[in-house]
Amino acid sequence: MHLTTTRISPDWPCQVKTPGSYDWERSAVKWLRELVPARYAGYPTLIRHPVLLARHAQIQVQHEIRVARTALQTARADLPRLGLAESVIEHTVKLYAAEVLQLQHIARSVRAVTEALVERGAAGR
């Protein structure tokens, strides 16, 4: 069963209960709400339909990855003009690189949760 694969996936977020367990969808919604801007997290349609919330979270995280990559790619050229010390620039470059990796992991986690939510919906039809 695919949910078993998702459950044991290293990408499954620890904040979300195992698919099929009691209240796992609620834990998924809570986690996904943290990934989107607060104004989106309050829309009733997104909360009533977790797969829509997951879709929006996927889009949001992909956007954040693009932003972090742009910041990383332009840091060495742009930051010296702001008068920052070389040590601050190097620290900032490392920060952006780490953020890209973290966001890529979150994106994989969102995909895993989305797949489980879609399977739950398909099973419930």
Side-chain angles (χ1 to χ4, degrees):
M1 179 178 213
H2 188 267
L3 289 180
T4 302
T5 303
T6 301
R7 179 177 53 84
I8 61 170
S9 167
D11 295 323
W12 190 262
C14 62
Q15 301 91 329
V16 179
K17 294 180 179 182
T18 304
S21 67
Y22 174 76
D23 227 15
W24 84 268
E25 293 98 339
R26 186 180 305 194
S27 69
V29 167
K30 182 178 180 210
W31 180 72
L32 291 165
R33 285 178 75 173
E34 294 172 4
L35 299 177
V36 301
R39 66 186 179 278
Y40 286 98
Y43 288 133
T45 300
L46 294 179
I47 305 310
R48 278 194 304 269
H49 303 282
V51 75
L52 290 176
L53 180 61
R55 176 186 179 272
H56 192 82
Q58 284 181 318
I59 294 167
Q60 183 70 36
V61 172
Q62 288 305 315
H63 176 69
E64 290 180 33
I65 290 170
R66 285 192 299 276
V67 169
R69 282 185 179 149
T70 299
L72 175 61
Q73 293 164 353
T74 60
R76 292 191 197 282
D78 291 349
L79 297 183
R81 290 184 287 223
L82 299 176
L84 295 168
E86 184 61 31
S87 62
V88 173
I89 294 170
E90 287 306 311
H91 179 75
T92 303
V93 166
K94 289 177 183 174
L95 174 144
Y96 287 140
E99 186 65 13
V100 168
L101 292 175
Q102 177 65 19
L103 287 166
Q104 289 171 335
H105 174 73
I106 291 169
R108 291 189 303 272
S109 296
V110 172
R111 280 193 297 274
V113 170
T114 301
E115 289 171 9
L117 288 168
V118 168
E119 284 190 14
R120 180 206 39 101
R125 285 185 209 142

